[in-house]
Amino acid sequence: MTQSTKRSLNELLVNLFNHVMDMEAKAVITEEFIGITNNDMHIMEAIGVEEPRKMSEIAHRLSVTVSTLTTNMNGLEKKGYIRRERSQKDKRVVHVTLTEKGRKAFFHHRDFHKKMIRAILKDLGGEELEILYKCLTNLNHFLEMPEDKR
């Protein structure tokens, strides 16, 4: 691979990242969901709609500390997107669920991601899809790697 191709690939990745973040902000943060951020949406995605999640689980899914997450949760609770309740069995444990407003935001965010995936996969054959999946898996492994191992 030539230096020029590597440089072009790098520019493409940087542009894609910036476009996704910008588009997501515009697509997800609508008049109905004003006052929340992409970060808030990703927290709601980590909470999910299935069952109550422990704060520690959510923090782990987002790779943040519980204290960092607590700050964001305070805002989401004030805005009516989440509900927190202490466990009856263990008062140290806090369970989080999405309110109806939070569930609406969750599904709105999920729809944006579904559209984005459809656009990515459009016109790809089976072999191309496997190559794309391998490339993205490699990128994910690199990004998850500790900085001193890169």
Side-chain angles (χ1 to χ4, degrees):
M1 180 181 288
T2 67
Q3 267 316 105
S4 175
T5 303
K6 288 178 183 177
R7 204 171 15 257
S8 294
L9 184 57
N10 181 64
E11 287 175 21
L12 178 61
L13 287 171
V14 169
N15 286 336
L16 283 170
F17 174 79
N18 290 332
H19 286 309
V20 167
M21 295 303 288
D22 187 48
M23 250 185 94
E24 186 173 46
K26 289 175 182 168
V28 172
I29 313 305
T30 63
E31 282 188 31
E32 184 177 4
F33 304 114
I34 203 147
I36 60 173
T37 65
N38 277 345
N39 189 50
D40 291 334
M41 284 292 198
H42 291 135
I43 291 169
M44 287 187 273
E45 182 177 35
I47 296 167
V49 293
E50 293 82 31
E51 56 190 48
R53 288 223 192 272
K54 294 179 192 173
M55 286 283 288
S56 57
E57 275 182 280
I58 300 163
H60 178 74
R61 290 176 115 188
L62 296 168
S63 301
V64 298
T65 64
V66 172
S67 59
T68 297
L69 182 61
T70 298
T71 303
N72 295 98
M73 291 297 196
N74 291 340
L76 285 170
E77 190 170 40
K78 281 180 191 167
K79 295 171 192 168
Y81 288 95
I82 65 152
R83 183 177 306 106
R84 291 184 283 190
E85 293 179 8
R86 291 224 173 260
S87 168
Q88 296 301 319
K89 293 179 184 173
D90 184 346
K91 296 293 182 189
R92 297 170 297 176
V93 175
V94 176
H95 291 108
V96 182
T97 55
L98 296 179
T99 62
E100 188 56 37
K101 184 177 179 180
R103 291 173 64 83
K104 279 178 142 178
F106 173 91
F107 288 114
H108 180 70
H109 183 244
R110 181 184 275 178
D111 287 345
F112 168 77
H113 281 269
K114 283 181 177 181
K115 289 175 187 174
M116 187 170 56
I117 295 301
R118 271 196 304 271
I120 292 169
L121 301 180
K122 185 180 139 217
D123 302 329
L124 288 186
E127 190 175 322
E128 293 166 316
L129 182 56
E130 286 179 35
I131 292 168
L132 174 63
Y133 184 81
K134 178 138 179 69
C135 290
L136 293 176
T137 299
N138 289 343
L139 177 59
N140 189 55
H141 287 310
F142 173 77
L143 296 172
E144 288 179 337
M145 194 182 302
E147 198 170 324
D148 63 334
K149 303 284 184 193
R150 292 183 197 150

